[in-house]
Structures are given as C-alpha cells and as structure tokens.
Amino acid sequence: MAAAAGGWLRRCTKLKRNMPAYLAPWRASPCVFRSSKSELMPNLASDGVVCAPLQTFTEEETMLKNMVTKFAQERVAPLVQKMDENSKMEDSVIQGLFEQGLMSIELGEEYGGTGASFFSVILVVEELAKVDPAVALLCELQNTLINKLFTTYGTEEQKRTYLPRVAKDTIGSFCLSEAGSGSDAFSLKTRAEKKGDYYIINGSKMWISLAEHAGVFFVMANTDPSLGYRGITCFIVDRNTEGLHVGKKEDKLGIRASSTCPVTFENVKVPETNILGQVGQGYKYAIGVLNTGRIGIAAQMLGLAQGCFDHTIPYTKERVQFGKSVFDFQGMQHQIAQVATQLEAARLLTYNAARLAETGRPFIKEASMAKYYTAEVATLTTSKCIEWMGGVGFTKNYPIEKYYRDCKIGTIYEGTSNIQLSTIAKSLAQEY
C-alpha cells in the first residue's frame, strides 16, 4: 500500500513539473497588464501638482465647462422638444455654437479657434449632452473628426482655406459608410478616377451625419481598387461642387435634431490639390480620427446618462407613495446607488482616455473601453430612470423618454459595441 502511494505521489510530482506554465495556479505572471503599469510624470514637484484626481480641471477648463452649462440651459434647453419633434436643428443653436467658439475648441487663434485642450472638447460635449445629445453630436463631430483631419493631415494651403471657415460658420461632414460597408468600412465601393490634375468621384454614401447643413465633406473613395483598402484616399469636397447630392434625411429613433442623410456623387470633379494627405492613406486617417472620436462619443453617452439621472432623482424625492418619498424605499436606494456608481466609473474611463490622448500616450484600448462602457451605462441609466419615474417617464411631457431613445445610437455609430470589444481584445492579446 505504501509503495503504491509513493508511486502515485511521484507521478503527481512529475506531472506538476511538466505542467504548462499557464496552468500553475499561484505562479506569478510574467506579464503585466499595461493599464496597471505606473509611469513617472515629469516636473510634478515643480508644478506643485501631486497625483491629481481625474476630475481635477485647469482654470480654463473649469471656466469653459461653466460657460457651456449656462449656454446649454439658456440657449438649447428651451428648444430641445421642438427640435426633436421637427427633426431639425434650430439655426439659432448652430449659430450659438459658432459664436461661443464651441465648433473650434482646439483650433489655434490664428484660424479663429479657441486654442483650448482636447480634454476641453470632452467636457463641452458632456455638458451639451446633458441637455441635448443631438446638439452635443454636432459639436463632437466638428471638433474630433473635421477639425482634427484638417489640422493633422491638411496642407498649409488647405488649413488657410478651410480652418477659418469651420471655425466661423461652416459645418463639416465625414463620408465613410456605404450601403455595403458599415463595420467593414474599408470595403467601400466609391471610386475616384484620376484625369490629369483632378479626380472624378462616383459612388454613394449612407448614414452621413450633419449632411443637411454641411458646407464641406471629407469623402473616402478608392483610387485603385486593385490595392483594396490601400487605395482609399480622402478628398475634400465643397457642398456646391457639381454632382454632389444630399438626399432626404432619415426619420430616426433618436438624436433626431441631428441630420443623417445619404450623399451621392455623380461625376464629381475634384482637383488633385483637394486630396487630404497622401493618396492611398485615407484608411489610416479614418482609423486615427475615429479612435479619438470614440472618446467624444463616450462623453456624449456619459452626459446623456447624467442628464437623465439628474432629471429623475429629484422626482423620486418629491413623489410620495405609502407615506414616504419613492427615494426613501431601500430597494430604490440600492438601484439608484448602483447606477450612480456606474456613472462615476464611466466618467473616469472617459476622462482617463481623454487625458491619455491629450498627452500623446497610447489610448486606443482605453478609448474603446470608454465608448463601450458609457453606451452600456447610458442604456441602463435611461431604462431605469423611466421605471423610477413610473407612468410620467413614459410620456413626452418629460425628457426621460427622449434620453432613452437618444442613447441607442451609442452602441452603433463610430464603431459598434462588438467592434469595441474586438478592439479591446486585440489590445489585450498584444499585452499578454
């Protein structure tokens, strides 16, 4: 018996020695999750800042945030219901965004911009979305996609021509998606054929945000289909160019005040000088701006959820049932506390991604995490708020149902939730 037990023990010991490393239960992992790595920040002591919380803002950021809060309450809030019902952005709102410098937040003053930080863009989008996510989207796309494309890849001549316009009164629109290329964006069919010193563009785009009011379009078209996505080139096309047609806007579930239209190109003649960056590099440019744009959408979803929450909680404290406020029931308190915690987590994810991007550190995984999670939190928050409000939450007399409709797009545009999860997983595979 003893001999048999000894033989079994020796076999187990041998098996342990041959066990793959990843199965060793308490073995310290040689890999370190990148987000857990600390990094020294230079000049902290001399700047007098030590481990500042993510919700610590500069004086400029605080002033801008407060200004936008006031603007949203006074200039946007009175028009939200009307704009939603009519599916139309009021001209006074668009004009106000330009007048306040909110359409050119990062642009330098030499172009008529505000010259503020990328984080300021995120704060502005969040504050606007608390009141109307459709207005926030207009501001977000102009700053994170349109202006970013011009400043990052534009020639000096293109910058001098277009940046003062997009800072003053011109809305830009980004044309990538097509009927057959949604998440598989680079399978697009729009062609650009070279003819001497210009190109002829033919094709159609779908789901193009802001197309109704746009004065300039960034159009992704393939100059050499034999190269696949490496033939995709970005063209700057003015609205009044012959052959460019903006179709009837979509009748959408949410963010109805923000237009979404098909755009077609029929023998649109574009000079070679209107190529943004290099021929065949359009796919890289699209990926680059969409990565930062996802942080902007995260801010939109965060603001939307917070705005809905802020409208709802006071009601639960005023509404009395069974002799006490609805808020005072423990079952309600636990639900509210859970949502509040998730809102705070969503905010920290978003702010962290924004600060990483602003300081030039890697942020792609964090941007996808922020967008994915804020969209999920917005969905949960708005659904719960309708339940907490009861019957009135289900009516259009209160803005809660609008937040509920508006949030759904967060899981779809600028990369679906599944695309975000794939991006996160790809990053994790590289880290481990």
Side-chain angles (χ1 to χ4, degrees):
M1 178 76 74
W8 178 83
L9 184 60
R10 284 192 297 273
R11 286 195 299 273
C12 285
T13 305
K14 183 178 180 181
L15 182 63
K16 254 186 192 179
R17 285 199 297 267
N18 294 332
M19 184 181 294
Y22 61 82
L23 290 179
W26 292 102
R27 183 176 177 271
S29 172
C31 302
V32 179
F33 190 46
R34 184 169 60 78
S35 292
S36 69
K37 291 182 180 178
S38 59
E39 182 173 317
L40 289 174
M41 297 186 69
N43 302 320
L44 279 182
S46 61
D47 292 341
V49 179
V50 179
C51 300
L54 279 171
Q55 296 193 56
T56 301
F57 309 141
T58 65
E59 183 179 356
E60 181 185 62
E61 289 166 349
T62 301
M63 290 175 61
L64 184 59
K65 182 176 185 291
N66 293 338
M67 182 273 283
V68 175
T69 301
K70 187 172 185 290
F71 170 81
Q73 290 296 334
E74 295 178 357
R75 301 277 296 273
V76 179
L79 300 171
V80 172
Q81 188 174 18
K82 176 184 176 183
M83 292 192 297
D84 180 64
E85 290 174 354
N86 296 338
S87 295
K88 183 173 177 59
M89 189 82 67
E90 287 290 315
D91 291 339
S92 63
V93 172
I94 298 173
Q95 182 181 352
L97 290 172
F98 279 110
E99 289 175 351
Q100 299 296 322
L102 302 181
M103 299 292 271
S104 53
I105 297 171
E106 286 186 276
L107 292 186
E109 295 180 5
E110 68 271 25
Y111 299 117
T114 306
S117 63
F118 174 70
F119 192 80
S120 296
V121 175
I122 300 308
L123 291 178
V124 168
V125 171
E126 180 187 358
E127 290 305 309
L128 289 173
K130 289 178 182 178
V131 175
D132 191 352
V135 175
L137 179 64
L138 170 57
C139 175
E140 190 273 332
L141 291 176
Q142 184 87 347
N143 283 283
T144 67
L145 295 188
I146 304 306
N147 297 348
K148 187 75 73 175
L149 281 168
F150 276 127
T151 56
T152 307
Y153 306 110
T155 64
E156 286 305 313
E157 182 180 355
Q158 289 168 348
K159 291 177 185 178
R160 287 194 301 269
T161 301
Y162 289 100
L163 287 180
R165 288 173 54 189
V166 296
K168 182 181 180 182
D169 57 13
T170 301
I171 294 172
S173 191
F174 183 68
C175 301
L176 176 62
S177 296
E178 297 180 5
S181 58
S183 292
D184 184 13
F186 298 144
S187 63
L188 60 87
K189 302 299 182 185
T190 299
R191 287 287 312 276
E193 186 178 358
K194 186 169 174 54
K195 296 283 188 180
D197 60 353
Y198 58 88
Y199 284 79
I200 301 295
I201 299 178
N202 282 284
S204 60
K205 300 290 183 178
M206 288 190 70
W207 318 118
I208 305 306
S209 298
L210 314 181
E212 182 182 29
H213 292 99
V216 62
F217 297 81
F218 282 113
V219 182
M220 294 293 175
N222 204 316
T223 57
D224 187 353
S226 68
L227 297 176
Y229 68 88
R230 294 182 184 276
I232 296 174
T233 302
C234 185
F235 294 87
I236 305 168
V237 185
D238 288 301
R239 186 187 186 92
N240 59 5
T241 304
E242 186 177 356
L244 187 157
H245 304 285
V246 177
K248 181 183 177 182
K249 62 186 176 185
E250 303 291 344
D251 187 10
K252 305 195 300 288
L253 170 72
I255 56 166
R256 292 171 58 81
S258 173
S259 66
T260 304
C261 310
V263 181
T264 58
F265 305 88
E266 298 177 7
N267 296 319
V268 173
K269 186 177 179 179
V270 181
E272 195 172 17
T273 54
N274 273 34
I275 290 175
L276 184 78
Q278 302 296 316
V279 173
Q281 297 295 300
Y283 73 97
K284 289 184 179 179
Y285 306 157
I287 291 171
V289 294
L290 287 173
N291 283 331
T292 53
R294 285 166 181 168
I295 307 174
I297 298 301
Q300 181 202 28
M301 290 295 111
L302 170 62
L304 182 161
Q306 188 67 61
C308 187
F309 190 81
D310 292 346
H311 272 94
T312 303
I313 301 309
Y315 179 87
T316 66
K317 298 184 76 174
E318 295 169 5
R319 172 73 168 166
V320 175
Q321 291 288 279
F322 304 102
K324 60 181 179 180
S325 74
V326 171
F327 182 90
D328 286 336
F329 287 92
Q330 188 181 63
M332 281 289 293
Q333 291 179 343
H334 288 182
Q335 292 180 56
I336 291 169
Q338 181 183 27
V339 169
T341 301
Q342 291 175 320
L343 277 170
E344 188 67 8
R347 178 170 289 105
L348 296 177
L349 275 172
T350 303
Y351 286 6
N352 181 57
R355 290 298 192 196
L356 287 173
E358 187 175 71
T359 54
R361 293 174 61 187
F363 68 91
I364 292 174
K365 180 189 71 181
E366 288 77 9
S368 286
M369 285 180 166
K371 182 184 183 294
Y372 165 73
Y373 189 70
T374 53
E376 294 296 307
V377 169
T379 301
L380 171 69
T381 301
T382 56
S383 178
K384 282 295 184 183
C385 284
I386 288 178
E387 293 176 18
W388 299 339
M389 294 278 285
V392 297
F394 198 67
T395 70
K396 291 184 179 292
N397 295 327
Y398 289 80
I400 310 305
E401 62 84 30
K402 178 182 180 296
Y403 287 116
Y404 182 73
R405 288 185 287 109
D406 285 348
C407 80
K408 191 58 204 173
I409 193 61
T411 64
I412 300 171
Y413 63 8
E414 294 207 28
T416 65
S417 288
N418 282 339
I419 291 294
Q420 304 313 316
L421 292 172
S422 293
T423 300
I424 295 165
K426 183 178 179 181
S427 296
L428 293 174
Q430 294 171 347
E431 290 173 14
Y432 285 93

